[in-house]
Amino acid sequence: MASVTLENVIKRYGDLQAVHGVDLEIRDGEFMVLVGPSGCGKSTTLRMIAGLEAISEGTCRIGDRVVNDVPPQRRNIAMVFQNYALYPHKSVRENIVFGLKRAKTEPAEIHKRLAEAARMLRLEPYLDRKPAALSGGQRQRVAMGRAIVRDADVFLFDEPLSNLDAKLRHDMRTEIRRIHKNYGTTSIYVTHDQVEAMTLADRVVVMRDGWIEQVGRPMDIYLHPANLFTATFIGAPSMNILDGTLDADGVHLGSHTLPVPPAKQAVAAAALEAGGGRARPIKIGIRPDFFEDCAFATMGPNSVRLDGLRVEIVEPLGFDREITFHIGESSAMARLDLRSDIAEDSTIDLCVDLERVHFFDPDSGKNLELVA
Amino acid sequence: MKPQTVLERAENRFGWQLVAPSLGVIGLLILYPILYNVYLSFFDVQLVGDNVFVGLENYQRLLTDSAFYDSLTTTAIYLLGTVAGTTLLGLGAALLLNQDFPGRNVVRGLILLPYFAPVISVVFGWQFIFDPVNGVYNYMVVEVFNLTDERMNVIRDPDLGVIVVIVFDIWKHFPIAYLLILSKLQSINTDLYEAAAIDGHGPWGRFWHVTLPELYFVLGTIVILRFIWNLNKFEEVFLLAPNVQTLPIFTYYTAFTGVIDQGLAASVSVIQFVLLCGLIWFYVKKVLKW
Ligand SMILES: Nc1ncnc2c1ncn2[C@@H]1O[C@H](COP(=O)(O)OP(=O)(O)OP(=O)(O)O)[C@@H](O)[C@H]1O
Ligand SMILES: [Mg+2]
């Protein structure tokens, strides 16, 4: 096992720069997830770590070794590909032990590890089949098996679950979590699915357009997004971003006024001062999950009421119900539970804890709490 | 045979209906000459007058004729040399031209030229190269590198001639092997190479474990095709080096020159045909595993 360190890593394809200088340390035994929208450079970053893509500038270290010029076969890594990349002419068994044989592992040891992986991934009945005779989920597990039998320093995953259906994806997520718990191998996992990122990661790297937007533990990113991009990208349903105005009285959102919570007062004052004390526009971010129906809410010291909101749409989802309502000029979404049995086109009073409300600078998109 | 559903049976019947007309034509055009050939091989064929039935005598004469065995040996050498040569050279060229380098497309086109060129014109070019008096070959060997003192008529010599014929065939026909292999190479999923690299294999291991298994079938097809073509090949050998007697040329000399023994020639053809069928059967069963 080993840590992985990227220092100012840049990737260029001709004139196009795909990755703009990534600084990242993945600690020994850590499960790191790279997440971001399509084309943001996640795969490119992962493939540079694997050695499948040359590094244009910067350094990549695995453990203490600089691997920029080390070919993939000498990096001692294992990788699970999005399209599995199983050897079509080899049986499941041969696919799994292929790397072990190459590493001249003792036959008894190969046998042991194969048996263990096959049991863990429930592949025993399929060991003699060719990949073509397997379902997508089974192929996925073979690809996983091929990685875990190896004594690799680092496991790399490039969207390994994106070809599976929702239920299988959920099962495999649990499986991957279990494997990581058992083996504790340093893992780097690429996905565009923020649910996978949240559930699997020790830490998450949020990327956009070849830049890192934020690095942190999943809950830290969820609760304290650094900017508008991570705020809306992480969390489902996505955070409401509302247009408001900040002045000395607080934040105005349509006819409602939210006081600035104590923790953010210094930042707000500084922001106002920078604008010569005039009222300035601001983006307000509130997650749908943090709205509460005032009828059932327990009011804390920082709770505020937003009264008389007009409900436009109600979508019952079983235990949850998502409602779309109007506030100020914008429409927003709240996730309530089945106790709030409201009709469309009626009104509702919603409560929210100010600690859970984010204020973003509309120009830079930065979260004002983190600017301080 | 598995039990079939109505649909499967209907599909089968439709399939037969589709191929029936061509089967009929092929049957007439191919089966008739073959059967007639077999028939002739049991006769002493007279150019004028009635054929005389001689039973297996033609075959007996052949099997005791050392010229026939020489021809078999020549054919074997010719087949081994050309089949191996075209396949390997085609493979090498395809691997090389599957790499990215400037001017690749031009080279990809040029390499096909020998295959397009008309046999008759290139044959004369080659004969000129090996001409004992004016040819480049003798000039290089004798004058430039001083390998021997004496100029040789390589093409007319039955033993050396077969080598020239083999080299000519490789030169002329490797492009088809190259073309088939290259198109297969281009369809190999690059993921597999990456997976093999991650699994610890360098370029050689990746070739052995990814490229070769993917090429197995196409290589097998090339080998059998070249085999069939060359066992029956006449014009290139005959035009370039008439003293190299592979089976078709031996047959020709027997049938149309000297004593003119068409019955005997027919029996050579029959043996050649049986040989070909046997080899193909073995190959398809054991190597291609159809
Ligand atoms: N071989 C290449 N040549 C040129 N540009 C490339 C190449 N590979 C990737 N790119 C570009 O680099 C950028 C990052 O690509 P990358 O594959 O890393 O995206 P990604 O984050 O993995 O996206 P996805 O979620 O769709 O897989 C993209 O804009 C892509 O077009
Ligand atoms: Mg990708």
Side-chain angles (χ1 to χ4, degrees):
Chain A
M1 276 195 289
S3 62
V4 176
T5 320
L6 301 178
E7 276 165 23
N8 191 31
V9 166
I10 291 176
K11 177 67 193 181
R12 283 188 214 96
Y13 291 109
D15 291 337
L16 178 113
Q17 187 155 324
V19 174
H20 303 287
V22 163
D23 279 304
L24 200 59
E25 187 183 348
I26 297 121
R27 297 174 199 127
D28 195 4
E30 189 171 33
F31 200 109
M32 183 69 107
V33 174
L34 306 186
V35 68
S38 188
C40 71
K42 313 174 294 281
S43 296
T44 307
T45 307
L46 190 79
R47 292 168 56 81
M48 285 192 285
I49 297 171
L52 298 173
E53 222 48 89
I55 298 173
S56 308
E57 231 175 86
T59 14
C60 173
R61 271 196 208 94
I62 297 178
D64 299 328
R65 181 164 70 132
V66 175
V67 293
N68 284 42
D69 299 323
V70 179
Q73 61 266 29
R74 287 207 281 276
R75 292 195 184 191
N76 197 25
I77 46 177
M79 181 158 172
V80 180
F81 292 81
Q82 177 169 2
N83 298 316
Y84 321 134
L86 300 178
Y87 309 112
H89 306 278
K90 297 187 192 293
S91 67
V92 167
R93 179 195 313 276
E94 290 163 338
N95 263 282
I96 293 178
V97 303
F98 187 53
L100 284 180
K101 281 203 172 145
R102 170 66 186 166
K104 303 243 163 22
T105 314
E106 294 286 316
E109 179 68 17
I110 292 184
H111 190 79
K112 195 181 119 222
R113 291 203 213 166
L114 171 71
E116 191 180 317
R119 184 179 43 75
M120 182 137 106
L121 294 166
R122 298 185 306 281
L123 283 171
E124 282 131 332
Y126 314 115
L127 285 177
D128 292 315
R129 289 205 201 163
K130 294 277 167 65
L134 297 177
S135 74
Q138 291 159 350
R139 286 180 209 179
Q140 180 52 54
R141 299 210 295 272
V142 178
M144 206 72 81
R146 188 167 63 178
I148 63 176
V149 293
R150 299 260 315 276
D151 226 347
D153 288 333
V154 185
F155 287 164
L156 305 174
F157 301 84
D158 192 354
E159 310 215 20
L161 307 186
S162 59
N163 292 345
L164 305 182
D165 68 49
K167 160 139 178 42
L168 212 49
R169 194 144 59 198
H170 186 275
D171 294 349
M172 282 309 293
R173 230 163 48 210
T174 318
E175 202 74 66
I176 293 174
R177 200 63 229 161
R178 181 176 302 136
I179 288 168
H180 186 249
K181 231 169 101 186
N182 277 359
Y183 292 82
T185 309
T186 313
S187 302
I188 307 175
Y189 186 104
V190 161
T191 177
H192 59 253
D193 177 356
Q194 54 94 24
V195 178
E196 273 171 38
M198 292 291 290
T199 50
L200 285 171
D202 292 327
R203 281 195 302 156
V204 176
V205 180
V206 184
M207 294 185 71
R208 176 171 62 155
D209 294 343
W211 301 97
I212 291 187
E213 295 282 333
Q214 190 170 2
V215 183
R217 289 183 302 171
M219 280 314 282
D220 288 345
I221 293 185
Y222 178 77
L223 293 174
H224 305 284
N227 51 44
L228 279 172
F229 178 77
T230 35
T232 49
F233 192 78
I234 299 289
S238 131
M239 186 187 279
N240 297 297
I241 304 295
L242 309 167
D243 289 310
T245 359
L246 172 70
D247 66 16
D249 299 335
V251 176
H252 303 281
L253 178 58
S255 57
H256 306 277
T257 301
L258 310 176
V260 176
K264 289 170 190 165
Q265 270 163 9
V267 188
L272 273 178
E273 202 157 314
R278 270 173 287 117
R280 52 170 291 172
I282 199 159
K283 298 271 187 198
I284 303 160
I286 308 174
R287 291 201 182 277
D289 297 292
F290 290 133
F291 283 115
E292 287 177 289
D293 188 335
C294 292
F296 311 109
T298 42
M299 303 290 282
N302 283 317
S303 295
V304 290
R305 292 180 70 96
L306 304 166
D307 286 331
L309 301 166
R310 197 167 61 76
V311 175
E312 191 185 9
I313 309 250
V314 177
E315 295 167 281
L317 300 169
F319 183 77
D320 293 324
R321 53 187 60 216
E322 292 181 354
I323 64 164
T324 308
F325 59 93
H326 288 286
I327 183 164
E329 301 293 290
S330 347
S331 91
M333 181 184 270
R335 182 143 64 180
L336 308 176
D337 60 45
L338 47 69
R339 290 174 303 172
S340 308
D341 189 12
I342 27 161
E344 294 183 345
D345 299 319
S346 62
T347 60
I348 188 171
D349 303 335
L350 292 180
C351 289
V352 65
D353 184 347
L354 274 182
E355 293 294 339
R356 297 282 175 242
V357 179
H358 300 278
F359 300 111
F360 299 96
D361 183 305
D363 302 323
S364 68
K366 289 217 165 74
N367 190 338
L368 290 177
E369 75 173 344
L370 298 172
V371 169
Chain B
M1 203 66 176
K2 277 179 285 184
Q4 288 182 321
T5 66
V6 177
L7 272 183
E8 280 169 333
R9 246 175 303 160
E11 202 167 309
N12 272 345
R13 202 160 349 112
F14 183 57
W16 279 111
Q17 284 163 2
L18 284 181
V19 294
S22 28
L23 272 185
V25 173
I26 290 175
L28 282 181
L29 286 180
I30 295 185
L31 222 52
Y32 173 73
I34 290 177
L35 291 179
Y36 186 61
N37 199 357
V38 174
Y39 164 83
L40 279 186
S41 72
F42 296 111
F43 284 86
D44 182 8
V45 179
Q46 303 296 312
L47 292 181
V48 224
D50 290 339
N51 296 338
V52 183
F53 181 77
V54 292
L56 290 174
E57 197 192 297
N58 283 329
Y59 292 95
Q60 271 166 359
R61 274 170 56 209
L62 258 190
L63 294 179
T64 50
D65 182 356
S66 71
F68 174 69
Y69 288 104
D70 287 347
S71 173
L72 270 183
T73 314
T74 310
T75 308
I77 294 172
Y78 176 69
L79 283 177
L80 276 178
T82 54
V83 171
T86 40
T87 311
L88 289 178
L89 189 61
L91 177 63
L95 289 173
L96 206 66
L97 290 177
N98 197 34
Q99 310 291 321
D100 233 336
F101 60 87
R104 178 173 74 168
N105 287 341
V106 178
V107 182
R108 276 189 182 175
L110 284 180
I111 219 168
L112 295 177
L113 278 182
Y115 193 64
F116 296 149
V119 176
I120 191 73
S121 54
V122 286
V123 157
F124 287 125
W126 276 65
Q127 281 179 339
F128 182 70
I129 293 177
F130 291 100
D131 186 280
V133 183
N134 301 312
V136 180
Y137 172 80
N138 276 300
Y139 174 73
M140 295 301 264
V141 170
V142 180
E143 313 281 326
V144 181
F145 295 112
N146 294 317
L147 296 179
T148 66
D149 304 335
E150 99 190 275
R151 287 173 168 263
M152 281 185 302
N153 194 342
V154 180
I155 284 187
R156 293 282 152 177
D157 181 299
D159 292 335
L160 292 176
V162 73
I163 295 175
V164 175
V165 171
I166 288 173
V167 174
F168 175 83
D169 181 87
I170 294 174
W171 170 79
K172 180 123 179 59
H173 294 281
F174 87 91
I176 190 70
Y178 147 84
L179 209 60
L180 290 170
I181 295 171
L182 181 64
S183 63
K184 180 64 202 171
L185 277 181
Q186 287 170 329
S187 76
I188 300 179
N189 192 345
T190 50
D191 273 7
L192 294 179
Y193 290 106
E194 297 186 341
I198 300 272
D199 273 335
H201 285 279
W204 172 245
R206 297 200 283 267
F207 173 75
W208 189 256
H209 290 286
V210 178
T211 314
L212 268 192
E214 291 277 323
L215 290 182
Y216 182 83
F217 195 75
V218 85
L219 288 176
T221 309
I222 291 170
V223 166
I224 188 121
L225 279 180
R226 298 291 302 135
F227 200 88
I228 297 171
W229 292 345
N230 281 1
L231 184 54
N232 294 328
K233 177 144 293 174
F234 180 79
E235 77 282 14
E236 283 175 16
V237 183
F238 184 72
L239 289 174
L240 183 59
N243 290 344
V244 175
Q245 296 201 21
T246 55
L247 280 179
I249 289 148
F250 180 75
T251 311
Y252 171 81
Y253 285 137
T254 316
F256 300 113
T257 61
V259 220
I260 304 199
D261 193 340
Q262 298 197 340
L264 189 65
S267 60
V268 183
S269 304
V270 170
I271 290 181
Q272 181 182 329
F273 183 69
V274 170
L275 214 63
L276 186 58
C277 290
L279 283 168
I280 290 176
W281 177 83
F282 174 81
Y283 189 80
V284 166
K285 281 283 169 217
K286 300 293 164 190
V287 182
L288 295 182
K289 301 200 178 88
W290 276 345

